[in-house]
Amino acid sequence: MNKTKISLSLAVISGLFLAGCGQSADSSDAAKSSEQTKMEKVMYPITKKGDVVDEYFGTQVPDPYRWLEDDMSAETADWVKAQNVTTQSYLSNIPYREKIEKRLSALLDYEKVGTPFIEGDYSYFYKNDGLQNQYVLYRQKGESEAEVFLDPNTFSEDGTVSLASLEFTQDGSLAVYMISEGGSDWRKARIINTETKEMVEKELVDIKFSGLSWVGNEGFYYSSYDKPKGSELSAKTDQHKLYYHKLGTSQADDTLVFGGTDAEKHRYVGGNVTDDGKYLLVSAAVSTSGNRLFIKDLTKSDSKLIPVVTNTDSDNYLLTSEGDDLLLVTNMDAPNKRVVKVNALSPEPKNWVDVIPETENVLSVSTGGGYLFAKYMRHATSFVQQYQLTGELVRNIELPEVGTAGGFSGKKTQAKIYYSFSNQKTPSTTFSLDVKSGSSDVYMKSKVKFNSDDFESKQVFYASKDGTKVPMIITHKKGLKLDGTNPTILYGYGGFNISLQPQFSSTRAAWLELGGVYAVANLRGGGEYGKKWHDAGTKLQKQNVFDDFIAAAEYLISEKITSSDKLAVMGGSNGGLLVGAVMTQRPELFKVALPAVGVLDMLRYHTFTSGAGWAYDYGTSEDNKEMFEYLLGYSPVHNVKAGVQYPATLVTTGDHDDRVVPAHSFKFAAELQAKQAGSNPTLIRIETDAGHGAGTPISKTIEQYADIYGFTLYNMGVKDI
C-alpha cells in the first residue's frame, strides 16, 4: 500500500545554522559586564498560590498552581503576558541576541526542495524559496514548467495556519488536505479537484489525530473525537471514532464506522483502504503502543468488521496488498518487527506466514516500484535492503556513508523512486533509485552553506548506572581540544519507541560552527533496539531513561569534552520531561536546561486532551499506590526544592499546544521561580498562536532559536560573538 503521507516537520523547516562566531572560554571570570550583573537580578511576576490539595492513596499532594491549568481564564492570560514581558526583557538585553537573529535570517535564506512524489500525471514537490513561513507545494507534468499547487502562506497573513497532511485519490484527480490553525492538533479538511485546484464542497471541521484514506473517488475515511465541553485545547479527549465521508453529502451525515460504543472505545482509531479499494483495515489502540486490528470487505454492503488481532499486546498495520493477499508489519512474537503475508478471507495470526522474518536489527519497511524496502537500524544508523513482494532478497542498497536514509516509497508502477540521506554533519542529499538495476543517482543536493569536511562525527558506547551500554553520537569540529571548555548541547528523548537516528539539522550545525559539541544519546525508552529497549524505559523502569541521560553527561565531562559549566541539556515533549527530571535530580551537573513543550506534571498529565494514551510509557497516578509513588518521585513539577540552585533554565511552550498542554510548563516555571536559589535565571517563553511544534512558521522559528541560543551562550559565560 502506498499512501502519500506529508509531514512538514519542524526539523525540516528550521534549516538554521550559525557561522563565524566565537566565544569566551572562561565562564568563571569575576569581572562580568554591567549588563550581565543587571540581568542576573530578574524580578519575576508574582504567581499566586492556591490551596488545592489532592489525595492519592492516603497521601496529600498540594497543587498550588492548579489555577494555571485554566487556559480560558483572564487570570491565566495575564500571567502569560507578564511572564513573556519578563522573559523578553531579559533576552532583548543580551548584547548579541539581535546579531544572532540577523545571522539566522541570513543563513536561512536559501532554496530548499523536498523529495518528489508522483500522483496521477504529475510529480509533486515542496519548495521554500528561503524565508517563506511555510513550504509551498508545486507540481510538474513531464518537462513542463512547475506550477504552484498549494501555497499555505496564503492561508493566513502571519503564517500560523499550516498544511498538516495531504492525500490523493489513486488516479490523482481529487485530493483532501488538512490545515492546522495556530499549531493546534484540531484540523479542518478541504477537498479539491486537482485540475482546477478548486474546493468541491464545504470543508470538514473538528478532525483530530486522523489519517485520510480514499475509497475510489467516492469518499474517504477519517478519525476524530467529539468536540469537548469547555476548552478544546486542554479538555480530555478519550474516545476516538472512525467516520466515512461520502462526497456531496454533509459532514453531519457522515457514517460512524467504528468507536461509537463502549465496547469499541479506544483512544486512537484509524482506517486504511487497500489500493484496489477492496478492503478496509481498522486499527484501534488504547495507548501509543499496541493495537487491535479489524478488516471489512468493502465490496459487500452488509459486511461486518472482522477481528484480526484481538488484543493490544503488539503493533500491527497494513503495508500493501495484492487482491486478497495482505502484507502486514507486526511485532507480534517479533520485538524487532517482521513482515507477514495472510489471506484476507482468513486473516487470523495463526495463518500468518513470514515474508521478511525478524532479525537482530529493528525493521521499518516501505513499498515502491513493486518492491519492499527494508530499512534496518544498526546501532541507530541505517542499513537498507530491497526485496521482492514474495520475500526474496534482491540487493543491499549502498549508502554514501554511515547515517540515516529515508524515503524508498512510491507507486507500484514507478521505475524510479527517491530517498534521502544525511547524518549529523552531512546535509541531506536526495537520490533517485532505479528499482530494476539498483543504481542510485544524485537527484538534488542541499544548498545549505555548510562544509561537512571541517567536522567529524563519531559513535561511542558508555555505561549507564546499571551497566547497560548506551550509544551516543558526538559531533564537533575536527581537531577539537579536549580541555573541558567546549560549549556542549546534550540532546535526548527516551520514550514512545521513538528512535533518534543521525540526521543533519542546521540548528545543530549552529553549535558546530561555533566550535561547540552536539551529542545525541540513544536512551532506553526509545526504539533503537526494538520493543525490549522501549519497555526498559517505561512505567516502573522510567528512571533508567534519566540514568542513561545523566551517565551521558558524566561521560562527556569525564572525557573532558566539556564541563558542567559548559553543558546544556535539551529535549522536547517527552524529552522535556527528560530535561525536567535530570535537572531536578542532578542540578549541579548542568549549566543550562532547555525543556521544551514538556510533560512535567506526572500526576495529572493523563487528565488533559489525549494524555491518557501515554499510559503505556508512564503509567498513571490512579493505577495503584506503587505507581503513584514512583511518578511522584520524579515528576519535575513536584520535585523542585527550595534553596537549591538549579541550572539557568528557559522553559519553552506554545499557547495552542493541545497535545502537551502548556499548563505543564506554566506550573514548572512557577515552581522554579518560587524556589530557585542563587542567580541563575528561570524563565518561560510562551509562543502565541503556536502549538507542539509542527507547522511553526519560519519567522517564529528564527525568533525562537535566536532567544534559545542567546540565553544558552550568555549563561555559559559567552560575552560576545
Side-chain angles (χ1 to χ4, degrees):
M1 185 176 189
N2 177 41
K3 294 292 186 181
T4 304
K5 305 297 182 186
I6 305 301
S7 174
L8 302 181
S9 69
L10 181 61
V12 171
I13 291 174
S14 58
L16 313 178
F17 71 98
L18 187 61
C21 301
Q23 69 280 330
S24 167
D26 185 6
S27 63
S28 61
D29 189 351
K32 295 180 180 179
S33 67
S34 59
E35 292 93 345
Q36 186 165 348
T37 301
K38 179 181 178 181
M39 289 171 64
E40 284 175 345
K41 298 176 181 177
V42 180
M43 298 297 294
Y44 303 111
I46 295 174
T47 305
K48 75 169 188 178
K49 292 185 177 181
D51 55 4
V52 175
V53 177
D54 293 317
E55 184 170 314
Y56 300 86
F57 302 99
T59 299
Q60 292 192 330
V61 180
D63 193 358
Y65 303 116
R66 176 72 61 84
W67 62 275
L68 286 171
E69 294 180 2
D70 186 355
D71 55 70
M72 299 180 69
S73 77
E75 194 173 22
T76 300
D78 289 342
W79 184 88
V80 168
K81 291 177 183 177
Q83 289 289 341
N84 272 342
V85 167
T86 299
T87 299
Q88 290 306 321
S89 176
Y90 180 97
L91 296 172
S92 65
N93 280 306
I94 293 175
Y96 43 77
R97 188 262 175 215
E98 186 176 347
K99 188 186 298 185
I100 294 175
E101 182 173 0
K102 288 181 179 179
R103 187 62 175 150
L104 290 170
S105 296
L107 292 170
L108 192 59
D109 194 5
Y110 68 93
E111 183 182 77
K112 297 167 281 290
V113 181
T115 303
F117 57 97
I118 308 299
E119 298 293 347
D121 296 328
Y122 292 90
S123 174
Y124 291 81
F125 61 93
Y126 285 92
K127 186 176 78 168
N128 190 305
D129 290 337
L131 294 178
Q132 291 174 285
N133 275 322
Q134 303 290 344
Y135 276 60
V136 178
L137 180 60
Y138 290 81
R139 71 177 178 184
Q140 186 173 19
K141 181 183 288 187
E143 299 300 320
S144 62
E145 186 177 351
E147 63 176 355
V148 173
F149 181 68
L150 282 175
D151 184 359
N153 296 291
T154 64
F155 295 171
S156 63
E157 290 186 6
D158 61 359
T160 59
V161 179
S162 62
L163 177 61
S165 62
L166 172 69
E167 191 74 21
F168 290 84
T169 55
Q170 282 293 315
D171 65 6
S173 65
L174 295 170
V176 55
Y177 68 90
M178 292 199 288
I179 63 169
S180 168
E181 297 170 306
S184 172
D185 281 331
W186 289 101
R187 312 286 199 230
K188 295 177 180 177
R190 297 172 178 173
I191 305 144
I192 58 174
N193 179 304
T194 59
E195 280 301 313
T196 65
K197 307 174 193 174
E198 298 293 329
M199 291 178 59
V200 300
E201 61 180 50
K202 184 178 179 181
E203 69 182 11
L204 278 60
V205 299
D206 298 336
I207 300 173
K208 188 172 184 179
F209 293 160
S210 178
L212 301 165
S213 193
W214 284 93
V215 181
N217 291 17
E218 291 76 47
F220 57 87
Y221 291 92
Y222 70 92
S223 308
S224 195
Y225 305 90
D226 293 337
K227 206 64 177 288
K229 297 177 181 178
S231 171
E232 67 179 59
L233 295 178
S234 61
K236 190 172 184 177
T237 48
D238 208 31
Q239 186 159 357
H240 216 201
K241 299 176 182 179
L242 180 67
Y243 295 91
Y244 174 70
H245 175 73
K246 182 177 177 59
L247 296 192
T249 65
S250 168
Q251 185 179 4
D253 297 326
D254 287 352
T255 303
L256 176 60
V257 178
F258 185 88
T261 66
D262 288 342
E264 293 178 346
K265 181 177 180 180
H266 293 79
R267 294 190 179 95
Y268 309 109
V269 173
N272 279 319
V273 179
T274 55
D275 287 348
D276 58 11
K278 190 171 184 180
Y279 293 103
L280 167 71
L281 279 90
V282 176
S283 169
V286 295
S287 73
T288 53
S289 185
N291 67 291
R292 296 182 175 91
L293 194 64
F294 303 84
I295 190 170
K296 177 180 173 67
D297 187 343
L298 296 179
T299 66
K300 301 175 182 178
S301 59
D302 59 347
S303 66
K304 304 294 184 183
L305 276 172
I306 305 300
V308 179
V309 179
T310 57
N311 59 55
T312 59
D313 296 337
S314 58
D315 298 289
N316 314 275
Y317 66 88
L318 174 68
L319 178 62
T320 191
S321 66
E322 286 285 343
D324 291 333
D325 289 333
L326 309 176
L327 291 187
L328 308 176
V329 180
T330 182
N331 61 6
M332 182 184 297
D333 302 320
N336 290 337
K337 294 185 181 176
R338 58 184 171 133
V339 177
V340 299
K341 179 180 178 180
V342 69
N343 190 284
L345 303 179
S346 52
E348 299 83 5
K350 67 180 182 180
N351 297 320
W352 292 1
V353 177
D354 281 358
V355 173
I356 301 180
E358 181 191 25
T359 71
E360 61 182 358
N361 300 309
V362 180
L363 169 70
S364 65
V365 63
S366 58
T367 64
Y371 293 90
L372 303 178
F373 290 88
K375 294 165 282 189
Y376 292 101
M377 278 189 295
R378 286 179 174 172
H379 304 308
T381 63
S382 292
F383 170 67
V384 183
Q385 293 182 314
Q386 181 178 352
Y387 286 87
Q388 300 281 1
L389 293 178
T390 49
E392 291 84 8
L393 176 65
V394 177
R395 62 178 59 90
N396 296 333
I397 303 298
E398 295 207 14
L399 301 177
E401 54 182 311
V402 175
T404 301
F408 297 99
S409 63
K411 303 291 186 183
K412 292 179 180 178
T413 55
Q414 285 180 226
K416 287 188 176 182
I417 61 173
Y418 300 89
Y419 67 94
S420 62
F421 177 85
S422 73
N423 57 34
Q424 300 284 42
K425 68 179 182 66
T426 305
S428 180
T429 298
T430 301
F431 295 86
S432 65
L433 173 70
D434 185 304
V435 297
K436 293 294 185 184
S437 68
S439 63
S440 290
D441 295 307
V442 173
Y443 178 79
M444 186 170 295
K445 288 187 176 182
S446 171
K447 296 181 181 179
V448 63
K449 297 179 179 65
F450 180 81
N451 187 0
S452 60
D453 292 337
D454 293 340
F455 301 88
E456 61 181 296
S457 189
K458 63 179 181 179
Q459 187 174 58
V460 300
F461 292 83
Y462 65 90
S464 189
K465 184 178 181 179
D466 63 358
T468 298
K469 295 295 183 183
V470 180
M472 175 166 57
I473 292 181
I474 305 171
T475 310
H476 52 73
K477 279 185 178 179
K478 290 179 178 177
L480 183 77
K481 188 177 181 181
L482 302 180
D483 59 2
T485 66
N486 302 296
T488 298
I489 289 178
L490 173 60
Y491 183 87
Y493 188 81
F496 296 92
N497 201 39
I498 291 174
S499 303
L500 299 184
Q501 293 190 264
Q503 292 181 322
F504 182 83
S505 163
S506 44
T507 57
R508 297 168 186 170
W511 283 93
L512 304 182
E513 292 281 359
L514 283 163
V517 177
Y518 200 92
V520 179
N522 297 110
L523 316 172
R524 280 176 283 185
E528 289 85 352
Y529 294 104
K531 187 172 174 58
K532 291 180 180 178
W533 192 254
H534 174 207
D535 288 347
T538 61
K539 295 188 176 71
L540 296 174
Q541 299 186 91
K542 187 66 178 176
Q543 184 60 41
N544 286 337
V545 184
F546 312 140
D547 289 342
D548 290 354
F549 206 45
I550 289 168
E554 292 174 334
Y555 175 91
L556 294 169
I557 294 169
S558 68
E559 294 295 311
K560 294 189 177 180
I561 293 169
T562 191
S563 64
S564 290
D565 283 340
K566 293 291 186 178
L567 180 58
V569 277
M570 177 186 287
S573 195
N574 176 73
L577 163 62
L578 172 68
V579 172
V582 299
M583 66 176 282
T584 51
Q585 293 182 11
R586 292 289 303 277
E588 82 291 347
L589 198 56
F590 317 104
K591 184 61 180 178
V592 177
L594 302 166
V597 293
V599 186
L600 297 160
D601 183 344
M602 299 309 296
L603 300 188
R604 288 181 54 76
Y605 79 86
H606 60 290
T607 66
F608 305 114
T609 60
S610 59
W614 311 334
Y616 182 92
D617 266 56
Y618 298 146
T620 78
S621 57
E622 298 173 356
D623 289 349
N624 52 59
K625 184 178 181 181
E626 182 184 24
M627 193 72 252
F628 153 68
E629 290 177 344
Y630 193 85
L631 290 167
L632 181 63
Y634 74 79
S635 175
V637 164
H638 299 92
N639 282 280
V640 180
K641 297 179 174 58
V644 175
Q645 178 163 289
Y646 292 99
T649 303
L650 180 61
V651 181
T652 54
T653 189
D655 67 346
H656 276 63
D657 191 343
D658 48 4
R659 193 172 309 175
V660 180
V661 296
H664 285 277
S665 295
F666 295 173
K667 292 163 76 170
F668 188 53
E671 289 285 355
L672 284 169
Q673 289 178 359
K675 296 175 180 177
Q676 169 75 295
S679 58
N680 287 339
T682 54
L683 303 172
I684 181 169
R685 184 188 188 280
I686 306 155
E687 187 66 79
T688 56
D689 289 326
H692 201 60
T696 301
I698 282 181
S699 58
K700 287 182 179 289
T701 299
I702 291 170
E703 294 170 358
Q704 180 184 28
Y705 278 105
D707 288 341
I708 290 172
Y709 283 133
F711 180 87
T712 302
L713 296 173
Y714 188 81
N715 283 283
M716 285 182 173
V718 176
K719 296 170 185 171
D720 197 10
I721 62 172

